[in-house]
Amino acid sequence: MGVNRLLFGLALGGGIVFGVLVSGGALAGLGLVASDQAGGALSAVVDGDPVYLAQGSRILVVGRNSSGELEPLYATAPLGGQIAGLIRMDGYLIAAWGSGGAGVLTWFSLADELAPVRMHDFRYGDSADSGPIDIALSGHFLYVADRSMGLLPVDLSDPLDPRVHEPVEVELMDGGLAIAGTDTLLAWTVTPIGGGVVKILDISSPLQPVLMGTYLLAGMASNFDVVASGDLMVVIAGVIETVDISRPDLPTRLATRAVEASSGVLVGDRLLVGLDGAVQSWDLSMPSMPVAQGSVAVPADRTRQIARGLDSSDLVFFTRDGQALAVNAEDPAMPQLEDVLPVSLGEAVSGLATGLNGPIVINQNWAINTLDDALGVVASLEPLLSHSEFHDIEIDIETGLGLVIPADGVYTANFTNATDPELLGFIANDPEAFQAAALDGDRAWSVTSTSGQLVELDLADPQQPAIRHVVESGSRGSDITYSDGFVYVAYRDDGLGVFRVDAKREPELVGDYGPCLAASAVDVHGGVAGLACADGWHFIDVSRPESPELLSTFSLPQVPGAASILLEPDRAWAGYRGGVVLFDLDNPASPFLLADYKLAGWATDLAFAPEGVWVGARSGGIARLRYPDPVSPGHSAAWFNPARVGEGWTVEILDHSRAVGYWSTFDDHGNPRWLFGMGAISHNRILFEMNDIRGGRFGPAMDSSGTDLIPAGVVRMIWTGCDDGWFQYLPDGDVAFEHDIRRLTRTAGLEACASAQEPIMHSPADQSGTWYDPSRPEQGFSLQRMSSGSALVNWYTFDDDGNPYWMIGVGHGSGEDIVFPALISARGARFGEAFNADDVELIDWGDLRLRLDCLEGNADYQSNLPEFGSGLIQLERLTVLDGLSCE
């Protein structure tokens, strides 16, 4: 690979683009079970094994386990909207979705096919109505069907640099795309008056599709599917219509057969369609005379086709609520049910609480579901099915007594037995509707939604609950919690109210906090209250409940308000539209982010789960989030940000509490700059005390007496999982800038992010670490033997003027010798927020040979630049990575 492609964010040699090498989980802790957004359907791309399902806003990977059974293997972090289309191109998956009035194409690397890694996003369109409906691929041209822009051709000659061309005016309210032959694209949509139409386009000139013909469906259909092969088009719309499109300007209907299906897939000359409770095969070898053949019963109501396998795969996937059905079409005339995969709870969540054995969920279908630890439905409380709206559910984890608040009042319920929950008593609204509730033994409090009445309930006899006190407040209530003799109420208009509650008298308002617009949730722990407001989360000192005082606020850029809050010792979980964040509250006056879990929709409800939380989303489903994994030996690697190609990080984990970090970047004038520092590890973060160094000289002649070590602030690196995290630079105590980081490499012997690993003994992998010449300690090499068999080296040194200088290279070798045929240096970009990847200028520096044993060796270099020349440097090991051993 050429010199101009070998640099941080550009390449790792051997044709592997920088970032494609990354593999593994993008979001540690997010369970495999989550829901589509409301109304969302699953879609898939299949290429042999594994299968990629676009499930709502994320991609689910399905494969076979050691017993040959299909099972969910991995789930990507959710995107910011529902995936409308998913295709595979070379070593990538491309997902199309919409966000904030723009369409987005997201590239996922398939370097590890079992763990797609998000590489970068490409946004198009600026209309409030923009959003992709479907995508189709022909050669290296992608076609995007967009609601407001029509049909967009996208040139993917360089997959990582897409070029969008002028849209073609094709009205596409809803529907999809299909490729027929090599030069024909079918675009179908539902018409405004009902029924459907298929537009037939000539794409022989890929960037200038031409409308050749139009086909109107035989009947009225609000939902239909189109599949094609060569000159045959098949429409599935409550009937099967076979259509000859050999003359695109004059499509000819060949036959019509009645069948209650709205989706299907072609397997050779057989059509498989999803029916109520079955998948049926049709013989289309004579398109003018379709013949029904075999069918297989499936445990589902109306099924919806997802995708079929390409090449070696014979699987066809259908969906129903909460499941994907895998049908084996090896003999398409006699399909067989292969497996049923649970992939989605399939219901919007209205309320969520922790029960004795798992989460208790109120779903949009108005049933109360008790779930097990794996999110499987254990039981449903059916008598509430008649209600059209639910507000809240609260459960005493010790007694199993619960309160359920639908639209007409408050129910008491017994959740002691998760398989047989029981309704006990009821209090009707009088006259205002209850909004939320809090429990303490045989007392409970609820706040009303209109005037914010605080209602105290007597639960001494749960079968006959009674109202004890009603206190007027005059504001709209949204949430309530109890802590140590006080009730805290979130008001939509007036922030926070604090009430002293005593069994002998009515609740008394003793304190308030007003600067919070549209408070939606409140929680209290250890003298700190968390309040979800329109401008973010407010953390308030309530150690003196009569005088609440603001400690800090926190908001996320471009996030429209907070939705929920849940406090625990030293940490806080907080939900918003699009995800959940985890804060460090060791110092509530200065909270900082530990993790950001992307989800679909508003995360409106949170409840404690073992090692994390349950999250209920208004737009559908429940997910389990776990605490981020701690920093481990597997985090010894190179890290980068795809939007900042040209700079990067090397992290070496030394033990459970210490790390060293190197930052290869640029100064304010575009010259190379490198910083380094020791770091303290705490759970999923490392705090590096960074240093700048000046005054050295390159190579063996370096005199270290003239060098200056200059403190350069603090870097905080926080990992959300094995392969992702973010970086904050604090030069003077405040965050100057921050950005995401992603894994670039995996160090051999440390591939897994496990908390404990057996040391690798007497292997080339044990050479990974920092090497230097003790007589010239201000320069050195950071070496990584990668799991791919290659090696990555960063050389931190100086130029002839005493300025920092760094080089990077990829090498190969065996035994003691590693040859780096092309070291690259760089200049041109600026430090920090002024960084622009387009400014990076690459320099072919020269070559390097490292000859190392376990503890010592040498570096033999030959530069192409006269000021550096050639030479030999004697080396000793400085660091040994945790998890490796060199004895």
Side-chain angles (χ1 to χ4, degrees):
M1 177 166 288
V3 168
N4 63 340
R5 300 288 286 176
L6 284 166
L7 192 65
F8 279 113
L10 296 180
L12 262 183
I16 301 178
V17 176
F18 196 87
V20 176
L21 192 65
V22 180
S23 62
L27 183 66
L30 179 59
L32 284 177
V33 181
S35 175
D36 308 337
Q37 298 189 44
L42 300 177
S43 60
V45 168
V46 186
D47 192 358
D49 192 15
V51 177
Y52 305 101
L53 304 180
Q55 181 200 2
S57 65
R58 61 184 185 154
I59 299 172
L60 185 68
V61 182
V62 174
R64 297 187 186 276
N65 59 25
S66 57
S67 302
E69 300 169 334
L70 289 170
E71 64 178 21
L73 300 176
Y74 177 80
T76 64
L79 301 171
Q82 181 171 307
I83 298 174
L86 183 67
I87 60 100
R88 178 169 184 168
M89 179 181 182
D90 299 327
Y92 306 99
L93 291 178
I94 302 176
W97 54 287
S99 173
V104 185
L105 300 176
T106 295
W107 269 250
F108 290 83
S109 165
L110 294 180
D112 181 346
E113 292 192 336
L114 297 181
V117 174
R118 184 174 178 176
M119 292 188 62
H120 73 276
D121 296 340
F122 175 80
R123 300 175 70 88
Y124 71 86
D126 55 6
S127 166
D129 299 324
S130 287
I133 301 169
D134 196 8
I135 55 178
L137 184 70
S138 178
H140 59 261
F141 294 95
L142 181 71
Y143 297 92
V144 181
D146 188 272
R147 288 183 179 85
S148 66
M149 302 179 69
L151 182 68
L152 280 76
V154 183
D155 186 348
L156 297 182
S157 299
D158 181 348
L160 300 182
D161 186 20
R163 305 296 175 91
V164 176
H165 289 257
E166 288 298 318
V168 179
E169 293 185 8
V170 177
E171 185 176 352
L172 296 169
M173 294 173 52
D174 200 358
L177 300 174
I179 300 294
T182 57
D183 296 329
T184 304
L185 175 69
L186 306 177
W188 68 91
T189 185
V190 177
T191 64
I193 61 173
V197 60
V198 182
K199 307 292 181 66
I200 305 172
L201 297 105
D202 181 351
I203 55 172
S204 56
S205 296
L207 299 179
Q208 297 178 326
V210 177
L211 181 63
M212 298 295 291
T214 298
Y215 177 80
L216 297 176
L217 271 64
M220 303 294 286
S222 60
N223 184 27
F224 66 98
D225 196 8
V226 176
V227 293
S229 177
D231 293 333
L232 176 65
M233 177 176 74
V234 183
V235 178
I236 306 104
V239 296
I240 296 174
E241 300 178 36
T242 56
V243 184
D244 181 357
I245 56 172
S246 58
R247 285 193 57 186
D249 59 329
L250 190 64
T252 303
R253 183 178 299 120
L254 300 175
T256 301
R257 296 290 186 270
V259 56
E260 289 298 321
S262 60
S263 62
V265 63
L266 281 172
V267 183
D269 57 6
R270 298 297 194 273
L271 174 71
L272 297 184
V273 295
L275 310 176
D276 285 347
V279 173
Q280 185 180 47
S281 172
W282 285 75
D283 183 352
L284 301 185
S285 56
M286 295 181 63
S288 60
M289 297 182 61
V291 178
Q293 293 192 313
S295 64
V296 57
V298 295
D301 297 329
R302 185 176 302 279
T303 54
R304 178 184 178 115
Q305 174 262 328
I306 302 177
R308 65 157 296 207
L310 305 178
D311 301 329
S312 60
S313 175
D314 296 309
L315 295 179
V316 178
F317 284 81
F318 292 77
T319 75
R320 68 169 188 170
D321 286 344
Q323 293 179 323
L325 310 174
V327 176
N328 191 321
E330 183 177 4
D331 180 359
M334 293 296 294
Q336 302 293 320
L337 181 65
E338 177 97 359
D339 212 341
V340 179
L341 305 174
V343 296
S344 168
L345 189 64
E347 301 292 349
V349 172
S350 302
L352 176 65
T354 299
L356 277 67
N357 301 298
I360 311 293
V361 183
I362 304 177
N363 282 332
Q364 194 179 38
N365 69 352
W366 316 318
I368 298 177
N369 293 326
T370 62
L371 309 180
D372 60 23
D373 220 30
L375 299 181
V377 177
V378 175
S380 292
L381 198 60
E382 297 298 340
L384 299 183
L385 284 171
S386 60
H387 294 288
S388 60
E389 184 179 0
F390 280 98
H391 296 154
D392 195 17
I393 180 170
E394 294 293 327
I395 298 173
D396 187 325
I397 193 66
E398 296 181 356
T399 65
L401 178 63
L403 292 180
V404 181
I405 304 180
D408 60 348
V410 177
Y411 285 84
T412 54
N414 181 2
F415 290 99
T416 304
N417 183 354
T419 63
D420 189 22
E422 177 187 10
L423 287 180
L424 300 175
F426 175 69
I427 298 176
N429 296 330
D430 187 22
E432 293 189 13
F434 296 105
Q435 180 67 27
L439 276 167
D440 179 49
D442 61 2
R443 291 187 300 166
W445 299 267
S446 183
V447 63
T448 62
S449 58
T450 304
S451 65
Q453 291 178 333
L454 178 62
V455 181
E456 183 173 324
L457 305 176
D458 184 347
L459 305 183
D461 181 357
Q463 295 185 342
Q464 295 183 337
I467 294 177
R468 179 182 289 177
H469 299 292
V470 177
V471 178
E472 302 289 340
S473 73
S475 182
R476 296 177 297 161
S478 57
D479 196 19
I480 186 171
T481 191
Y482 170 85
S483 178
D484 296 328
F486 293 86
V487 165
Y488 300 81
V489 180
Y491 294 108
R492 297 198 180 279
D493 304 312
D494 296 327
L496 177 69
V498 184
F499 293 81
R500 179 182 286 112
V501 291
D502 187 312
K504 298 180 180 179
R505 53 189 168 187
E506 71 175 21
E508 175 190 5
L509 179 66
V510 297
D512 62 81
Y513 169 80
C516 171
L517 180 64
S520 58
V522 62
D523 196 27
V524 176
H525 189 282
V528 176
L531 198 60
C533 308
D535 62 345
W537 297 274
H538 293 212
F539 297 102
I540 304 160
D541 182 357
V542 291
S543 57
R544 296 180 64 247
E546 300 84 357
S547 304
E549 293 186 7
L550 178 67
L551 295 170
S552 61
T553 61
F554 192 98
S555 61
L556 296 173
Q558 300 178 337
V559 170
S564 53
I565 186 77
L566 186 65
L567 302 186
E568 56 179 292
D570 302 328
R571 284 183 287 206
W573 298 87
Y576 64 94
R577 183 178 183 177
V580 174
V581 291
L582 177 63
F583 294 111
D584 184 302
L585 282 187
D586 184 52
N587 178 9
S590 182
F592 66 88
L593 210 57
L594 291 176
D596 188 356
Y597 305 81
K598 300 298 183 184
L599 301 170
W602 286 91
T604 52
D605 240 322
L606 299 166
F608 285 116
E611 297 300 317
V613 293
W614 309 110
V615 183
R618 181 184 302 168
S619 61
I622 176 175
R624 178 175 178 173
L625 307 183
R626 300 182 186 273
Y627 297 118
D629 291 333
V631 172
S632 72
H635 286 97
S636 289
W639 301 84
F640 80 116
N641 180 292
R644 298 174 65 91
V645 295
E647 70 172 2
W649 267 86
T650 298
V651 174
E652 297 181 359
I653 308 300
L654 306 182
D655 55 36
H656 70 281
S657 63
R658 298 180 307 138
V660 62
Y662 301 98
W663 185 3
S664 301
T665 182
F666 304 88
D667 65 17
D668 293 336
H669 305 289
N671 301 309
R673 181 188 184 190
W674 57 271
L675 299 91
F676 74 100
M678 290 297 299
I681 298 173
S682 176
H683 198 69
N684 69 322
R685 61 192 182 275
I686 306 178
L687 198 67
F688 292 99
E689 300 284 346
M690 300 305 295
N691 298 279
D692 227 331
I693 190 166
R694 301 280 170 171
R697 292 294 185 273
F698 175 77
M702 176 178 174
D703 179 4
S704 61
S705 62
T707 56
D708 294 318
L709 196 64
I710 306 168
V714 170
V715 161
R716 182 187 290 148
M717 299 184 81
I718 303 169
W719 278 273
T720 54
C722 190
D723 299 310
D724 295 273
W726 68 92
F727 155 104
Q728 296 175 326
Y729 180 51
L730 301 82
D732 52 10
D734 295 323
V735 177
F737 62 89
E738 62 183 23
H739 57 74
D740 294 339
I741 54 174
R742 296 184 186 175
R743 175 185 293 276
L744 171 65
T745 64
R746 294 189 182 278
T747 304
L750 304 175
E751 289 86 351
C753 284
S755 57
Q757 294 175 258
E758 291 296 322
I760 302 296
M761 303 291 290
H762 306 300
S763 162
D766 62 23
Q767 295 171 344
S768 296
T770 297
W771 295 79
Y772 80 124
D773 180 350
S775 66
R776 301 169 181 84
E778 286 78 16
Q779 67 173 334
F781 303 83
S782 177
L783 174 67
Q784 287 183 50
R785 288 280 203 168
M786 295 184 290
S787 57
S788 63
S790 302
L792 177 69
V793 70
N794 286 273
W795 187 355
Y796 304 105
T797 183
F798 304 87
D799 63 16
D800 280 348
D801 295 323
N803 300 311
Y805 199 91
W806 54 266
M807 294 85 83
I808 184 174
V810 174
H812 302 271
S814 60
E816 297 180 347
D817 283 12
I818 314 172
V819 177
F820 300 88
L823 288 189
I824 304 302
S825 59
R827 64 189 176 199
R830 301 297 190 269
F831 183 73
E833 292 293 86
F835 183 92
N836 185 337
D838 293 337
D839 295 335
V840 176
E841 178 186 350
L842 308 183
I843 302 169
D844 183 1
W845 186 89
D847 61 73
L848 172 72
R849 177 186 295 269
L850 293 180
R851 174 166 290 179
L852 307 172
D853 59 20
C854 184
L855 297 175
E856 60 185 20
N858 59 61
D860 187 356
Y861 65 90
Q862 175 69 56
S863 178
N864 299 325
L865 308 179
E867 60 267 34
F868 292 98
S870 60
L872 186 70
I873 303 174
Q874 299 300 318
L875 299 177
E876 292 184 9
R877 175 185 287 278
L878 179 63
T879 64
V880 176
L881 304 187
D882 192 17
L884 303 180
S885 178
C886 190
E887 298 179 356

